[in-house]
């Protein structure tokens, strides 16, 4: 009797040992259901290697499929209690789950997906640009670039090489697109009909390149600050332009520290700004200091990269100027109240409603989210490196636009390149 009791106790203990590992955790058995216990790490961008711990995953690489919020991942290795998988592009935040060969769906913990922009070179040194500045795209994805020190406007379609759209040597000449001349063009813009406009900074004019290939002067004649129509109006180093829904153009007139409004007929009035300064206010009571980049949201609010004030300013449709963020030359992310910039030169609104800024002397592309937080989208120190987020490097990024594909394009002025930023 005692012997049978001892044998029973021994078998019980052996069974307990068989069901436990040395560290006291349960060892999966073929009778236990497939389950996901943990993720490590549980957050990260695309390409992150995640170790998934669990039970009864099988031992063959084709026995389970791993999904990050319904996007299939690349499985690097699989064991009965551990899978190593790579976070896919567009993984998004959500539950990780696996699907077994039998079609069973097993849900796991949530993975927090971190959006990390990818920076690549879109136009390289083969274009022989000299300090490219303003950049714009039309609805078809055709790009236009102000190649400042070559006195040219370049163009590139979604496919194909970079070509000279107009301009050659320094000068001032209207006429046929292949004969016209510009002098230090700073900005380009495209209207709803596909006409291209140039902030011909060295000539102090706004030029128009029609769809028919004719270059003309819309407004401006010589350096000055006079309102008026056509050649009677005066600018002083105009640099950027943006259109409202009525076809009116708003120009950052950098040398005059003003925002000017130009009608489709070429009538110029001062919309905001006066003498150099930092004052908020209405219309000409407000002050800017070398305003450069300019963009507009769907409500008609204008955003200005107030370059030498190190600020981002807002101008309502009625001309009320306020400071959104920035104060002194520096670099700091965080709430708009404390964020700092270093000579911001251009800005644009992306499809998510973020304000994207070319922070020139910080060599970074910054982002202001709708809720009012400033972060670095891409870039770190000065250099020329493609890569993810802050691994990438720019040298004095100057112009910025968003294409119809939703991607961001940047004139990397110090590197004489155009860079492409893919946001997921």
């Amino acid at each position: 009797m005692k012997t049978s009791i001892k044998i029973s106790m021994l078998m019980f203990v052996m069974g307990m040992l068989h069901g436990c590992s040395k560290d006291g955790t349960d060892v999966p058995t073929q009778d236990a259901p497939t389950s996901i216990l943990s993720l490590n790490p549980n957050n990260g961008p695309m390409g992150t290697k995640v170790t998934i711990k669990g039970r009864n995953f099988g031992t063959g690489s084709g026995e389970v499929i791993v999904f990050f919020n319904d996007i299939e991942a690349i499985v690097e290795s699989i064991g009965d209690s551990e899978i190593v998988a790579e976070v896919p592009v567009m993984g998004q935040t959500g539950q990780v789950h696996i699907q077994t060969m039998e079609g069973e769906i097993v849900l796991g913990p949530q993975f927090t997906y971190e959006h990390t922009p990818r920076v690549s070179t879109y136009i390289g040194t083969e274009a022989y640009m000299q300090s490219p500045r303003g950049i714009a795209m039309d609805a078809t994805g055709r790009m236009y670039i102000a190649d400042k020190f070559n006195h040219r406007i370049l163009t590139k379609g979604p496919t194909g090489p970079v070509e000279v759209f107009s301009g050659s040597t320094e000068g001032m000449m209207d006429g046929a697109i292949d004969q016209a001349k510009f002098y230090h063009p700073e900005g380009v813009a495209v209207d709803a009909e596909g006409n291209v406009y140039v902030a011909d900074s060295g000539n102090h004019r706004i030029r128009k390149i029609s769809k028919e290939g004719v270059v003309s002067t819309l407004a401006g004649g010589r350096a000055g600050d006079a309102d008026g129509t056509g050649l009677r109006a005066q600018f002083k180093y105009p640099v950027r332009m943006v259109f409202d829904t009525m076809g009116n153009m708003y120009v950052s007139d950098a040398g005059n520290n003003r925002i000017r409004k130009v009608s489709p007929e070429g009538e110029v009035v001062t919309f905001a700004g006066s003498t150099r300064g930092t004052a908020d206010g209405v219309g000409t009571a407000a002050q800017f200091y070398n305003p450069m980049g300019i963009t507009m949201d769907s409500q008609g609010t204008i955003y200005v990269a107030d370059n030498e004030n190190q600020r981002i300013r807002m101008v309502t449709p009625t001309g009320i100027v306020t400071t959104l963020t920035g104060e002194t030359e520096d670099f700091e992310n965080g709430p708009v109240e404390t964020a700092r910039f270093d000579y911001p030169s251009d800005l644009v609104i992306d499809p998510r409603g973020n304000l994207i800024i070319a922070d020139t002397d910080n060599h970074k592309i910054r982002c202001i989210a709708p809720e009012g937080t400033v972060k670095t989208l891409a870039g770190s120190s000065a250099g020329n490196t493609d890569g993810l987020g802050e691994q990438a490097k720019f040298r004095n990024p100057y112009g910025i636009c968003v294409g119809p594909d939703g991607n961001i394009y940047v004139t990397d002025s110090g590197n004489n390149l155009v860079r492409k930023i893919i946001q997921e």
Side-chain angles (χ1 to χ4, degrees), residues 109-177:
Q110 176 171 290
F111 182 87
T112 301
Y113 188 82
E114 297 176 357
H115 294 274
T116 303
R118 288 178 287 168
V119 179
S120 60
T121 299
Y122 186 68
I123 297 176
T125 55
E126 75 280 356
Y128 302 107
M129 295 180 288
Q130 289 195 64
S131 193
R133 298 301 178 99
I135 185 171
M137 269 190 170
D138 65 18
T140 71
R142 176 163 289 280
M143 177 182 290
Y144 300 91
I145 305 160
D147 186 10
K148 181 173 181 176
F149 292 116
N150 280 325
H151 314 289
R152 305 180 301 180
I153 307 303
L154 304 179
T155 187
K156 183 186 185 310
T159 60
V162 180
E163 300 173 326
V164 176
F165 186 58
S166 187
S168 54
T169 57
E170 169 190 328
M172 168 57 217
M173 183 182 296
D174 286 336
I177 196 170

Side-chain angles (χ1 to χ4, degrees), residues 291-344:
M292 295 188 67
I294 185 169
T295 193
M296 181 180 291
D297 67 17
S298 59
Q299 306 302 310
T301 298
I302 294 170
Y303 298 82
V304 180
D306 194 3
N307 180 264
E308 296 206 40
N309 276 327
Q310 320 294 342
R311 303 180 184 201
I312 306 301
R313 314 289 290 279
M314 297 171 59
V315 190
T316 69
T318 56
I320 301 171
V321 180
T322 56
T323 298
L324 174 63
T325 186
E327 184 178 11
T328 56
E329 173 189 338
D330 204 348
F331 169 75
E332 187 172 335
N333 285 327
V336 290
E337 294 82 5
T338 58
R340 297 291 181 265
F341 300 85
D342 196 355
Y343 294 95

Side-chain angles (χ1 to χ4, degrees), residues 120-411:
S120 60
T121 299
Y122 186 68
I123 297 176
T125 55
E126 75 280 356
Y128 302 107
M129 295 180 288
Q130 289 195 64
S131 193
R133 298 301 178 99
I135 185 171
M137 269 190 170
D138 65 18
T140 71
R142 176 163 289 280
M143 177 182 290
Y144 300 91
I145 305 160
D147 186 10
K148 181 173 181 176
F149 292 116
N150 280 325
H151 314 289
R152 305 180 301 180
I153 307 303
L154 304 179
T155 187
K156 183 186 185 310
T159 60
V162 180
E163 300 173 326
V164 176
F165 186 58
S166 187
S168 54
T169 57
E170 169 190 328
M172 168 57 217
M173 183 182 296
D174 286 336
I177 196 170
D178 58 348
Q179 297 176 4
K181 291 187 177 183
F182 302 87
Y183 181 26
H184 290 167
E186 275 274 358
V188 285
V190 185
D191 69 12
E193 284 75 43
N195 300 299
V196 177
Y197 293 80
V198 179
D200 192 6
S201 186
N203 282 319
H204 313 289
R205 301 183 181 210
I206 304 300
R207 314 279 292 281
K208 177 181 178 179
I209 307 175
S210 71
K211 292 183 295 181
E212 294 74 30
V214 177
V215 179
S216 60
T217 297
L218 175 68
R222 58 187 177 88
D225 62 2
D227 289 344
T229 302
L231 295 177
R232 291 191 294 273
Q234 294 176 340
F235 298 90
K236 190 175 183 181
Y237 303 113
V239 292
R240 298 287 189 277
M241 302 155 290
V242 68
F243 289 95
D244 66 16
T245 56
M246 302 298 292
N248 297 302
M249 176 192 295
Y250 295 82
V251 180
S252 52
D253 189 6
N256 282 320
N257 302 301
R258 302 178 185 192
I259 305 302
R260 315 288 290 280
K261 181 178 180 179
V262 185
S263 73
E265 295 75 34
E267 181 184 357
V268 179
V269 296
T270 298
F271 186 65
S274 52
T275 56
R276 185 177 77 189
T278 63
D280 290 338
V282 181
T284 55
Q287 293 177 313
F288 300 89
Y289 186 9
N290 195 37
M292 295 188 67
I294 185 169
T295 193
M296 181 180 291
D297 67 17
S298 59
Q299 306 302 310
T301 298
I302 294 170
Y303 298 82
V304 180
D306 194 3
N307 180 264
E308 296 206 40
N309 276 327
Q310 320 294 342
R311 303 180 184 201
I312 306 301
R313 314 289 290 279
M314 297 171 59
V315 190
T316 69
T318 56
I320 301 171
V321 180
T322 56
T323 298
L324 174 63
T325 186
E327 184 178 11
T328 56
E329 173 189 338
D330 204 348
F331 169 75
E332 187 172 335
N333 285 327
V336 290
E337 294 82 5
T338 58
R340 297 291 181 265
F341 300 85
D342 196 355
Y343 294 95
S345 293
D346 208 354
L347 69 183
V348 71
I349 298 171
D350 75 5
R352 296 187 180 93
N354 300 303
L355 191 62
I356 311 298
I357 300 160
D359 191 7
T360 300
D361 281 10
N362 275 322
H363 312 288
K364 296 175 172 66
I365 305 302
R366 312 282 292 284
C367 171
I368 304 179
E371 65 270 17
T373 302
V374 181
K375 67 177 183 179
T376 298
L377 187 70
S380 50
S381 56
N384 177 14
T385 305
D386 291 339
L388 295 178
E390 294 183 44
Q391 297 172 3
K393 291 186 178 183
F394 302 84
R395 180 172 280 108
N396 301 117
Y398 226 92
I400 193 165
C401 75
V402 173
D405 55 7
N407 296 320
I408 297 167
Y409 296 84
V410 179
T411 52

